[in-house]
Amino acid sequence: MPRAEQRSAEHKAVATSGLSLLGLIRHAAEVERSWFRMVLSAEQGKALWPAVDGVYGEFLVEDADVDEAFTFWREACAASRTVADAFESLDDTVEFRGETISLRYVLTQMIEEYARHNGHADLLREAVDGVVGE
């Protein structure tokens, strides 16, 4: 490898991680359920994929079922839309653990969540197929 390419390769920040595309889908399902059903609708519920040894269960995908993950995510998104549609205004609020939270706040959080993880997904996809783009 030419010296310039070797230096470039040495300075690339590619940390090892347990992050996967499937884990991101499962995480998105959990986040949808958490914000819309638990926070905005005050429903009680357990994690779809409980934590193991302090690691979020949704990211433990060794034996995960892809179809199941996408089904749960689609169902969570549909439920989120139903919850959001029940609010008259983006400025309507709920009380959650001593805080006042508006639908606008939750939607903004979800935009940020998906934007952040879409970036992660793009880096993971690039590592798989090697294609880079704009």
Side-chain angles (χ1 to χ4, degrees), residues 84 86-93 102-104:
F87 283 77
E88 291 184 27
S89 165
L90 292 174
D91 296 317
D92 287 352
T93 62
S102 70
L103 175 60
R104 181 185 312 274

Side-chain angles (χ1 to χ4, degrees), residues 19 21 24 113-125:
L19 199 58
L21 293 171
L24 289 174
E113 184 81 14
Y114 277 102
R116 178 174 37 261
H117 292 313
N118 280 339
H120 295 145
D122 193 43
L123 291 172
L124 290 169
R125 188 243 353 116

Side-chain angles (χ1 to χ4, degrees), residues 15-24 26-27 55-62 120 124:
T16 57
S17 165
L19 199 58
S20 68
L21 293 171
L22 181 55
L24 289 174
R26 288 165 43 125
H27 177 67
V55 176
Y56 289 114
E58 61 261 37
F59 293 113
L60 302 173
V61 297
E62 294 79 23
H120 295 145
L124 290 169

Side-chain angles (χ1 to χ4, degrees), residues 1 3 5-13:
M1 177 182 304
R3 186 172 170 90
E5 287 180 32
Q6 183 179 15
R7 268 198 315 267
S8 176
E10 291 169 358
H11 290 92
K12 289 184 180 178

Side-chain angles (χ1 to χ4, degrees), residues 1 11 25 31 36 38 41 45 51 58 60 62 70 74 79-81 85 87-88 98 101 103 105 107 116-117 120 131:
M1 177 182 304
H11 290 92
I25 291 297
V31 172
F36 288 92
M38 294 175 194
S41 294
E58 61 261 37
L60 302 173
E62 294 79 23
F70 275 98
R74 287 183 188 105
S80 296
R81 286 189 289 277
D85 288 345
F87 283 77
E88 291 184 27
I101 298 174
L103 175 60
Y105 177 82
L107 292 173
R116 178 174 37 261
H117 292 313
H120 295 145
V131 176

